[in-house]
Amino acid sequence: MRTILITGQGGGGRTTVAAATAVEAAREGTRALVLSADRTDSLGAVLGVATGAEPVRAAPNLTAWRPDAAAGFRRDLVAFQERATSVLDLLGAGRLDAEELTPLPGAEELALLRALRDAALSEAYDLLVVDLPPSPQALALLGLPEELRRYLRRLLPPERQAARALRPVLGRLAGVPMPAEWLYETAARWDVELAAVAAVVEDRGTSVRLVAEPGPAGADHVRLASVGLALRALPVDLLIANRVLPEGTHETWLAGLVAQQRKTWEEWTEAPAAGPARPVRGVAHLGHDPRGVDDLTALRVPGPGDAPARVEWAVTDNLGDEGVLVWHIPLPGAIRDELDLVRRGDELVVTAGQFRRIVPLPSALRRCTVDGAALRDGALRIRFAPDPQLWPRTR
């Protein structure tokens, strides 16, 4: 199944591009679903069809869905209270009724991830188009399953569950109830659910479509977003230059905007130092806010196409020449002064500007020590020297 994650500049027209992408795919006969996490029905305003907690048919082959975060939050918290009855009674905590619960910040994004998982598992669609928040928030959201699974493994590691049989004895000795079975069952269920979401994000059929208006602000946003996406190893299939003004205008102030857009367009289409130029497509300004399927079709937003290949973080063997292994992490657009690396056991904490990711080291590198790092041609090259105490000895 093909999945396109739409993100980009705040106010750059992400929802419009997401809807137009789904409309174009539906016109070609693809069963498409477009998802949004906005509290306000901006997706429905663009499509001309109200969207909400239940999927609605917006056009032939096209379904739109805006999950209800409040309902999901109430359902999950009520279920959690039922499972944690013994602990809550021990603490003397009062129960919360579903009617008095309001969703916490971030509940919309979590509801979107769950809807993405459910839609992918349903096999009812050929294409999922996801209208994500602006890039910084979207990247934090896409990294959430990986981070939460890591927290669960640290707090409730699977190997400790072997001690379940001892908990009743320990509870009698300590005089207080020990963690109940439901705690581990809940952690295991959460891990499975998070793994299902992560599988969709990491699937080879998933790519990101960046949306920004050509101009200084859009150029800065695209550079920052590109670094964050590269750190997450998420491929960008297309950069949409949105609301492109027509050339040849005689109005002085408008001609200045056209020239500014043209300059940014040329920067985006130039081949970067590391690799080929990113595909760029312009979407014309209609002179009004698009409303309805006809307007979205007139935008001529490209259909899904094939997903680009995932960029691999390769390890090269330079032991014979330099005595080191080199881990290559592509980070196009990264700035050297904004990079930071911390080795923590078998993990590496990589910080690039405002983005950070904790990644497990490949097995060969776990038996090495960090020997240095350099940013060259848009790629971070980290040198690892074999640790004599851990590396296999050779005659």
Side-chain angles (χ1 to χ4, degrees):
M1 186 184 62
R2 187 78 168 87
T3 302
I4 299 181
L5 309 173
I6 308 289
T7 186
Q9 183 182 12
R14 303 181 316 280
T15 302
T16 299
V17 171
T21 301
V23 166
E24 181 62 24
R27 288 180 63 248
E28 298 173 354
T30 302
R31 298 175 303 167
L33 170 68
V34 56
L35 287 168
S36 175
D38 284 348
R39 289 191 178 186
T40 58
D41 194 10
S42 54
L43 177 62
V46 171
L47 288 170
V49 177
T51 65
E54 298 298 328
V56 297
R57 185 174 181 271
N61 295 320
L62 177 59
T63 304
W65 186 16
R66 191 166 50 89
D68 186 352
F73 180 79
R74 295 188 187 100
R75 182 173 57 252
D76 289 346
L77 194 53
V78 169
F80 177 81
Q81 289 183 134
E82 292 176 354
R83 288 177 173 268
T85 297
S86 59
V87 176
L88 294 176
D89 291 343
L90 176 66
L91 298 175
R95 304 293 180 83
L96 294 172
D97 296 327
E99 294 75 14
E100 62 181 307
L101 297 175
T102 56
L104 298 174
E108 289 83 2
E109 288 77 8
L110 290 174
L112 182 66
L113 287 179
R114 175 171 290 178
L116 174 61
R117 178 206 63 192
D118 293 344
L121 294 177
S122 72
E123 299 183 353
Y125 309 100
D126 306 311
L127 171 69
L128 300 181
V129 180
V130 187
D131 176 26
L132 292 174
S135 298
Q137 296 93 316
L139 284 162
L141 172 64
L142 295 174
L144 191 59
E146 179 180 277
E147 294 296 329
L148 289 179
R149 294 189 74 197
R150 179 177 176 273
Y151 297 156
L152 284 174
R153 287 193 296 268
R154 291 291 301 276
L155 295 173
L156 294 170
E159 56 269 19
R160 292 189 185 177
Q161 298 185 29
R164 292 175 179 174
L166 297 177
R167 280 200 294 274
V169 177
L170 296 176
R172 286 193 294 270
L173 292 176
V176 296
M178 299 300 287
E181 185 75 14
W182 69 265
L183 180 61
Y184 291 94
E185 292 176 353
T186 300
R189 186 178 70 254
W190 284 350
D191 186 69
V192 170
E193 293 181 357
L194 291 169
V197 177
V200 178
V201 175
E202 298 168 3
D203 188 82
R204 292 189 176 275
T206 299
S207 62
V208 177
R209 189 161 288 188
L210 273 177
V211 182
E213 290 191 34
D220 290 342
H221 188 94
V222 167
R223 185 191 69 80
L224 292 174
S226 298
V227 174
L229 291 169
L231 188 59
R232 287 283 166 194
L234 288 168
V236 177
D237 71 340
L238 208 58
L239 169 58
I240 298 291
N242 198 26
R243 299 175 183 147
V244 177
L245 299 171
E247 298 200 26
T249 179
H250 299 292
E251 295 288 341
T252 302
W253 67 273
L254 197 55
L257 289 177
V258 171
Q260 180 175 271
Q261 288 191 347
R262 172 55 56 183
K263 179 181 178 182
T264 303
W265 176 278
E266 292 174 353
E267 293 174 353
W268 283 347
T269 53
E270 288 178 357
R278 179 194 293 112
V280 183
R281 286 292 297 270
V283 174
H285 200 306
L286 295 181
H288 61 273
D289 292 336
R291 290 291 182 271
V293 173
D294 292 340
D295 279 356
L296 294 174
T297 302
L299 291 175
R300 296 183 174 273
V301 172
D306 296 329
R310 290 257 167 174
V311 178
E312 301 295 336
W313 291 11
V315 177
T316 57
D317 186 345
N318 292 356
L319 291 175
D321 298 332
E322 305 176 38
V324 295
L325 298 171
V326 183
W327 198 14
H328 299 260
I329 302 179
L331 290 177
I335 299 175
R336 179 181 177 181
D337 293 341
E338 296 179 351
L339 290 176
D340 186 53
L341 298 173
V342 177
R343 169 77 180 270
R344 186 184 182 281
D346 291 339
E347 297 176 326
L348 188 69
V349 183
V350 185
T351 302
Q354 59 181 295
F355 306 108
R356 190 184 72 157
R357 186 183 182 191
I358 303 175
V359 292
L361 293 173
S363 58
L365 302 183
R366 296 174 188 174
R367 294 176 281 128
C368 301
T369 58
V370 177
D371 188 55
L375 180 65
R376 296 176 183 171
D377 298 330
L380 179 62
R381 292 171 168 84
I382 310 173
R383 297 159 54 92
F384 288 83
D387 187 338
Q389 297 180 350
L390 300 176
W391 200 259
R393 297 180 181 274
T394 58
R395 292 184 182 273

